[in-house]
Amino acid sequence: MLDEGRSDAEILDFMEQSHYVSKEKALLGIDIAKRERDLLRDIHYEGGYSLYIGIPFCPTTCLYCSFTSYPIAAFRRQVDAYVDAVIKEMDYVAENFRDKVLDTVYIGGGTPTTLEPEQLDRLITALKSKFDFSTVKEFTVEAGRADSITREKLEVLYRHQVSRISVNPQTMKQETLDIIGRKASVEQVLTAYQLAREVGFDNINMDLILGLPGELEADVQRTIEKIVELAPDSLTVHSLAIKRASRLNQWIQENGVSMLHNTDETMKIAAAGAEKLGMKPYYLYRQKNMSGNFENTGYARPGKYGLYNILIMEEKQTIVALGAGSITKRVFPDGRIERCDNVKDVGLYIEKIDEMIERKKELFAE
Ligand code: SF4
């Protein structure tokens, strides 16, 4: 509606009357949409693309996880072959997207920093030797789980000029971390964050989840106070989503849904913390089955916005995705979207890498 030249008042009226959105949330939406439009001004929609690489291993599996993620300890012997397969997929993309502009690169998962430093180095060295990074506006690597982070790994990322990393506490309450099986302690989060600053990272995101089992407003308040002390560059505030594929469903059956508590108040506590850190909201999305029926909001300091995060939600740019369980999305000039996915199973992905490449060839055939 902004692009159509509609006024804020018209948009507000439409959101309130047709979608029953509260005034507060509609205004937040308008504010974010304007910021997004500004941030995406230089993105190459037609002649460009973004690249995603999925590393589907984690130290342990979190209770609420619905991503493609396998415990690294059981897969150590397959990781080298996995990196080889990703590099093979990379070869196809580098060759076939040579005349396109690469805007953003995101290595996620899973937890990419479960790779050993040499494996991380091999993966990123290949990536940087095959693609033209002179146009890349943002290069993110998720170092999400603090129990996977070491100085050596951070140094590899920094040496390869990774511009943005994520160190994700989710909560600063140790008891909750124990319940959700996220074996990264609060202490480890603090150490990893400090290490990342020491190594030189100046764009660190932190993810939080509101509505985690047993947490009340006072817990969120304490978490936010600790986050404000640390002063990351961006903060992504999620509302707990109860996914069918997660172990959380089972947990709810055993412990009761009344243990999950997310309110307008907790959302406001998080928003106030972000504001204290000089951050502005810059992307927002909703998922099905979110605790409290709220939304996820990304906040960042000016200049530290995560472009890839907006692109993946807005679905206006082609995103080529490599790795097990990843989904490639081709956006056509008329806005039509077609997708192809890679198999989730690590062994199958390695074995069938040529078929994964074939799927991409079909998707991108003229
Ligand atoms: S760190 Fe993320 S991807 Fe890994 S198990 Fe936890 S929620 Fe899943």
Side-chain angles (χ1 to χ4, degrees):
M1 291 180 80
L2 286 170
D3 281 345
E4 287 167 7
R6 309 283 192 94
S7 70
D8 288 11
E10 277 178 288
I11 299 172
L12 186 59
D13 190 52
F14 174 77
M15 296 298 278
E16 283 184 309
Q17 301 305 323
S18 305
H19 292 284
Y20 308 109
V21 178
S22 69
K23 184 173 182 186
E24 187 194 355
K25 290 291 156 81
L27 288 173
L28 175 67
I30 295 170
D31 181 35
I32 289 177
K34 286 181 180 169
R35 196 160 293 116
E36 284 189 355
R37 197 166 55 161
D38 230 36
L39 291 168
L40 299 186
R41 192 149 283 152
D42 296 330
I43 293 293
H44 301 80
Y45 289 120
E46 282 188 29
Y49 70 109
S50 286
L51 190 65
Y52 174 84
I53 299 174
I55 305 297
F57 309 111
C58 287
T60 55
T61 308
C62 305
L63 193 65
Y64 52 82
C65 183
S66 62
F67 301 107
T68 305
S69 159
Y70 304 97
I72 185 75
F75 284 80
R76 279 268 176 236
R77 290 221 304 258
Q78 292 190 65
V79 177
D80 275 317
Y82 183 81
V83 171
D84 289 342
V86 172
I87 292 175
K88 195 166 180 191
E89 248 195 310
M90 246 184 230
D91 278 331
Y92 157 76
V93 183
E95 183 57 33
N96 288 274
F97 283 70
R98 201 169 287 285
D99 58 344
K100 300 252 190 279
V101 178
L102 180 56
D103 277 321
T104 74
V105 177
Y106 194 103
I107 306 184
T111 305
T113 38
T114 49
L115 298 190
E116 293 300 326
E118 308 73 44
Q119 291 164 334
L120 262 181
D121 186 39
R122 189 159 73 83
L123 179 80
I124 304 178
T125 301
L127 174 70
K128 297 200 80 173
S129 70
K130 293 174 198 299
F131 292 87
D132 176 7
F133 264 67
S134 67
T135 57
V136 173
K137 298 173 178 62
E138 174 184 287
F139 180 13
T140 299
V141 176
E142 276 185 26
R145 288 275 296 254
D147 48 348
S148 70
I149 298 174
T150 64
R151 178 182 285 275
E152 219 182 333
K153 292 179 193 180
L154 290 169
E155 279 170 353
V156 169
L157 302 183
Y158 192 72
R159 206 169 50 242
H160 285 293
Q161 290 155 326
V162 168
S163 59
R164 183 175 177 273
I165 62 168
S166 231
V167 178
N168 301 330
Q170 310 303 8
T171 170
M172 287 293 202
K173 187 178 176 188
Q174 187 58 49
E175 208 183 317
T176 313
L177 290 172
D178 295 340
I179 293 177
I180 63 177
R182 202 174 160 90
K183 295 248 156 53
S185 65
V186 170
E187 212 44 53
Q188 279 173 312
V189 170
L190 299 177
T191 309
Y193 179 82
Q194 222 42 62
L195 262 180
R197 286 292 190 215
E198 273 171 40
V199 166
F201 286 98
D202 63 0
N203 192 352
I204 305 178
N205 173 71
M206 286 188 149
D207 276 8
L208 293 183
I209 301 178
L210 305 185
L212 284 170
E215 292 218 341
L216 299 172
E217 278 87 355
D219 301 306
V220 175
Q221 183 67 50
R222 274 192 289 272
T223 291
I224 290 294
E225 279 164 16
K226 286 193 179 155
I227 299 287
V228 170
E229 263 173 50
L230 292 174
D233 303 283
S234 61
L235 188 63
T236 311
V237 181
H238 297 96
S239 296
L240 181 71
I242 305 156
K243 301 274 179 74
R244 212 160 17 105
S246 73
R247 290 187 297 125
L248 180 61
N249 258 321
Q250 174 74 22
W251 187 92
I252 290 171
Q253 275 163 29
E254 286 160 16
N255 296 274
V257 75
S258 61
M259 288 288 283
L260 306 179
H261 179 82
N262 197 14
T263 62
D264 214 29
E265 185 56 27
T266 48
M267 301 294 286
K268 283 184 180 147
I269 293 169
E275 199 181 339
K276 226 178 195 171
L277 288 167
M279 297 176 182
K280 301 266 186 230
Y282 76 98
Y283 84 107
L284 175 149
Y285 68 101
R286 284 171 52 86
Q287 291 169 288
K288 272 192 205 158
N289 305 326
M290 292 178 83
S291 161
N293 197 22
F294 291 112
E295 61 277 331
N296 299 327
T297 311
Y299 299 88
R301 292 193 168 129
K304 308 288 180 176
Y305 302 104
L307 299 179
Y308 178 87
N309 288 336
I310 312 177
L311 289 171
I312 190 96
M313 288 304 150
E314 290 300 324
E315 307 208 296
K316 282 161 77 177
Q317 193 192 37
T318 291
I319 296 183
V320 184
L322 317 179
S326 67
I327 300 173
T328 293
K329 183 165 61 187
R330 179 177 183 186
V331 181
F332 289 83
D334 62 1
R336 188 165 46 94
I337 296 174
E338 282 182 23
R339 296 177 166 85
C340 78
D341 58 350
N342 281 349
V343 290
K344 288 187 176 177
D345 184 271
V346 170
L348 265 187
Y349 169 76
I350 296 169
E351 191 189 317
K352 293 189 177 291
I353 188 62
D354 292 331
E355 189 190 317
M356 302 304 104
I357 293 170
E358 275 311 311
R359 290 183 188 181
K360 284 194 176 51
K361 278 187 189 160
E362 260 175 53
L363 180 67
F364 290 104
E366 282 314 315

